[in-house]
Amino acid sequence: QQQVRQSPQSLTVWEGETAILNCSYENSAFDYFPWYQQFPGEGPALLISILSVSNKKEDGRFTIFFNKREKKLSLHIADSQPGDSATYFCAARDNTGNYKYVFGAGTRLKVIA
Amino acid sequence: GPKVLQIPSHQIIDMGQMVTLNCDPVSNHLYFYWYKQILGQQMEFLVNFYNGKVMEKSKLFKDQFSVERPDGSYFTLKIQPTALEDSAVYFCASSPDNANTEVFFGKGTRLTVV
């Protein structure tokens, strides 16, 4: 049973387009949602994050839209570049107990020049 | 930025043998984590560790697994004995505390059990 779901599994966009990566969750105890970017052979690196009290977070070309009522969020990558090609993981922090992070299965993004 | 170092990057081990994966977390961090990622799949939480103790572990953290951080040195994941299904990439992570802070990940150790 996946607590954090991501779609699509893979996505291909042209350079300059906006890539939209989706994430949904079930656990109301999740209160913090970081997105991690992972290149092959590397560990995940934090890209951008949002707290559940906000509905939008922007950092340069990266924007998170968050809908708490529907338990959905999305990562928008504007003006996509070939260097953005990576796997993106949506994660959620459980604020009960010991604050563990639960990861989605990832979206593999490919940006074509 | 802060780096979590994992040693070795790749280890091949015979089924049934013991293996220890080493992690050098960021120096002032207090919370430590191990995650397991099978090729092409999501990262799955194994265990988190604070103040010398396991705080929480998942069902994937079998009895054959153990973690420790003796004398503030490496944070280690030991598997004894190993099984074929333990083949995966194991990521170590650390964070300064457990509230609203970035969790830093290492590059992972690819464990192959043959």
Side-chain angles (χ1 to χ4, degrees):
Chain A
Q1 178 192 353
Q2 278 192 339
Q3 292 194 60
V4 176
R5 290 191 175 86
Q6 288 188 248
S7 65
Q9 200 171 22
S10 63
L11 176 66
T12 300
V13 299
W14 293 101
E15 183 176 1
E17 291 187 329
T18 296
I20 300 176
L21 289 66
N22 300 303
C23 179
S24 64
Y25 63 98
E26 297 170 0
N27 190 341
S28 299
F30 291 158
D31 69 340
Y32 172 65
F33 301 87
W35 283 83
Y36 283 85
Q37 181 188 55
Q38 185 179 28
F39 294 104
E42 299 284 323
L46 179 68
L47 185 65
I48 186 173
S49 62
I50 193 167
L51 289 167
S52 59
V53 293
S54 301
N55 56 22
K56 183 180 177 181
K57 176 80 173 288
E58 201 166 346
D59 184 359
R61 297 187 293 110
F62 303 93
T63 304
I64 299 175
F65 293 93
F66 180 70
N67 184 322
K68 188 171 183 177
R69 185 178 59 84
E70 294 187 11
K71 296 192 176 74
K72 289 181 179 178
L73 59 158
S74 59
L75 172 67
H76 291 224
I77 305 175
D79 188 26
S80 297
Q81 302 296 310
D84 296 330
S85 298
T87 299
Y88 293 80
F89 291 98
C90 171
R93 186 184 71 170
D94 186 338
N95 69 2
T96 61
N98 298 304
Y99 291 93
K100 72 178 184 198
Y101 286 77
V102 179
F103 282 78
T107 292
R108 190 169 298 162
L109 174 67
K110 185 174 181 180
V111 181
I112 301 173
Chain B
K3 292 202 183 297
V4 173
L5 300 175
Q6 288 190 243
I7 304 160
S9 58
H10 191 184
Q11 186 146 8
I12 301 173
I13 198 120
D14 290 327
M15 182 176 65
Q17 285 198 316
M18 180 194 78
V19 69
T20 300
L21 307 184
N22 296 302
C23 171
D24 187 10
V26 180
S27 62
N28 61 341
H29 285 189
L30 301 176
Y31 284 80
F32 312 108
Y33 313 79
W34 282 103
Y35 281 80
K36 177 182 180 181
Q37 185 180 39
I38 293 174
L39 187 63
Q41 298 184 25
Q42 70 200 87
M43 282 204 296
E44 303 215 61
F45 171 79
L46 284 176
V47 65
N48 58 5
F49 188 86
Y50 168 72
N51 198 26
K53 291 184 244 181
V54 170
M55 304 300 289
E56 185 174 354
K57 55 187 180 181
S58 72
K59 292 178 194 174
L60 295 178
F61 195 79
K62 304 180 295 185
D63 291 343
Q64 299 90 318
F65 287 35
S66 63
V67 291
E68 63 176 356
R69 193 183 187 216
D71 301 323
S73 58
Y74 285 150
F75 175 51
T76 63
L77 173 65
K78 185 185 292 185
I79 308 174
Q80 182 179 25
T82 49
L84 293 176
E85 62 264 26
D86 296 330
S87 295
V89 180
Y90 290 84
F91 288 98
C92 172
S94 70
S95 63
D97 59 54
N98 64 357
N100 298 341
T101 56
E102 178 175 355
V103 175
F104 292 84
F105 283 83
K107 292 188 176 186
T109 292
R110 182 179 297 278
L111 176 66
T112 303
V113 181
V114 297

